[in-house]
Amino acid sequence: MKFDLHVHTTYSDGIFNPMEVVDLAVTKGLDGIAITDHDTIRGVEIAINKSKEYNNFYIIPGIEFGCVCNNEEVHILGYFMDLDNIDLVYITNKLQSSRTDRAKSIINRLKELDIIIDYDDVKKLASNNNIGRPHIARTMIEKGYVKDIKEAFDRYLDRGKPAYVDRYHLTIKNTIELIHKSNGISVLAHPGLLKDKTIVDYCIDNGIDGIECYHSNHTNEDEKYFRQLAKEANLIITGGSDFHGDRGVLGDISVNLDNIPRMKERINNE
Ligand code: AMP
Ligand code: ZN
Ligand code: FE
Ligand code: FE
């Protein structure tokens, strides 16, 4: 069963809403996808309802938490959490409001750098109110300040760059605990992109369940290295495109869920 396990929607910084993403995934011949928006689960239910229009197309409830460790951004994926878990709902709400506050601070920083963008324009792009830096980057492109998202991050928005502002986030340890407490499976996202590879061992020591070995930005060497590591540590091997609509191609990276029994058995219980 072919699944893309890393997909964003308009509930974070994806371009397509959950219903559009489901339609697209079906046309790509996928058997299912995991909706993994940044720090929120609000898009999942909509995708599940939409998937019922099709026979045998599955939605895995997911999330991608943004953590910080050793001054580096680390993304942890969660799958199959109980969506009504009170801790999960409380913390994701708190993360979302910290994103709003941060966006306003970033816009103020940009103003000091003579880059004038309007909070309302950013908010319009973040149609479900979960603002990420890509929404700010897209507004900067619209206003002609940068040519693409990469330039916006490289010059202004990345950690350590002049318009960077920190926000509330969980530690890796607390993130894995939260996913487990809400009955979910935790996976380290795109480890190939980490500068400090000791973070992978840190995640394993803190009970991570799997490693995202296949990802749009991974090299063949990354794939091989992390598959070997996952096998040795007896962890789940996952993969996904990290589809955003303007980055990643839906279904281009996928996994066969038959090879991941811990996940396969969960979809039949949904
Ligand atoms: P945020 O939710 O504000 O932390 O932003 C995270 C999103 O920004 C992720 O979806 C990344 O794909 C994107 N992102 C992070 N760093 C970069 C970068 N250097 N260039 C382009 N996109 C990036
Ligand atoms: Zn994103
Ligand atoms: Fe990520
Ligand atoms: Fe992602």
Side-chain angles (χ1 to χ4, degrees):
M1 300 183 83
K2 202 175 160 189
F3 275 68
D4 185 335
L5 295 175
H6 195 152
V7 177
H8 293 274
T9 76
T10 49
Y11 279 82
S12 63
D13 52 4
I15 304 272
F16 297 102
N17 71 40
M19 292 180 286
E20 292 168 329
V21 165
V22 169
D23 285 338
L24 188 59
V26 171
T27 66
K28 298 267 184 180
L30 292 165
D31 297 299
I33 53 173
I35 300 288
T36 54
D37 277 310
H38 297 288
D39 297 330
T40 188
I41 46 174
R42 287 191 303 131
V44 170
E45 199 77 45
I46 297 163
I48 290 174
N49 287 335
K50 177 71 184 175
S51 72
K52 289 177 183 157
E53 288 179 16
Y54 299 100
N55 289 326
N56 305 317
F57 183 82
Y58 298 94
I59 296 295
I60 294 177
I63 190 164
E64 182 175 23
F65 283 105
C67 310
V68 173
C69 179
N70 296 349
N71 206 27
E72 178 168 14
E73 287 174 39
V74 181
H75 288 179
I76 308 272
L77 295 156
Y79 297 107
F80 297 106
M81 298 80 50
D82 298 331
L83 299 178
D84 53 2
N85 178 280
I86 32 175
D87 294 315
L88 184 65
V89 171
Y90 176 79
I91 287 173
T92 51
N93 284 338
K94 198 167 149 180
L95 286 166
Q96 187 174 320
S97 69
S98 84
R99 285 172 165 278
T100 303
D101 297 341
R102 176 186 59 161
K104 291 174 182 166
S105 305
I106 292 176
I107 290 166
N108 285 335
R109 286 274 177 93
L110 287 170
K111 200 190 253 168
E112 290 164 17
L113 299 164
D114 290 324
I115 293 175
I116 316 296
I117 59 167
D118 198 350
Y119 174 69
D120 289 335
D121 289 336
V122 175
K123 209 167 165 240
K124 240 177 258 163
L125 290 183
S127 51
N128 292 296
N129 249 325
N130 190 23
I131 307 178
R133 283 168 291 168
H135 298 114
I136 296 174
R138 285 177 196 139
T139 309
M140 292 168 75
I141 297 168
E142 276 179 11
K143 301 287 175 202
Y145 289 109
V146 288
K147 66 175 190 308
D148 54 22
I149 292 194
K150 189 176 179 308
E151 187 187 349
F153 271 87
D154 288 350
R155 290 179 62 186
Y156 304 104
L157 303 175
D158 225 343
R159 235 182 141 70
K161 297 296 155 76
Y164 180 80
V165 177
D166 210 356
R167 63 173 174 86
Y168 165 69
H169 45 73
L170 300 181
T171 62
I172 290 175
K173 188 171 184 286
N174 289 341
T175 302
I176 296 171
E177 276 170 9
L178 176 63
I179 293 168
H180 285 162
K181 237 194 317 189
S182 46
N183 203 19
I185 295 172
S186 61
V187 171
L188 174 61
H190 42 68
L193 309 188
L194 291 172
K195 281 179 243 146
D196 176 1
K197 299 288 194 251
T198 67
I199 291 173
V200 181
D201 298 318
Y202 181 78
C203 290
I204 295 172
D205 291 344
N206 281 284
I208 200 100
D209 302 288
I211 297 184
E212 187 179 53
C213 297
Y214 307 102
H215 182 271
S216 296
N217 296 330
H218 274 185
T219 63
N220 290 339
E221 286 71 39
D222 289 332
E223 260 177 34
K224 220 170 124 188
Y225 176 80
F226 290 110
R227 275 180 47 182
Q228 185 62 31
L229 190 73
K231 273 186 198 151
E232 280 165 15
N234 203 17
L235 301 176
I236 292 172
I237 293 171
T238 74
S241 66
D242 209 352
F243 177 67
H244 281 80
D246 59 355
R247 284 166 289 146
V249 178
L250 186 65
D252 255 24
I253 308 281
S254 63
V255 288
N256 184 351
L257 223 63
D258 297 322
N259 297 333
I260 315 175
R262 269 183 72 186
M263 288 191 154
K264 174 87 187 279
E265 71 197 23
R266 297 284 294 263
I267 62 163
N268 295 321
N269 298 331
E270 296 296 311

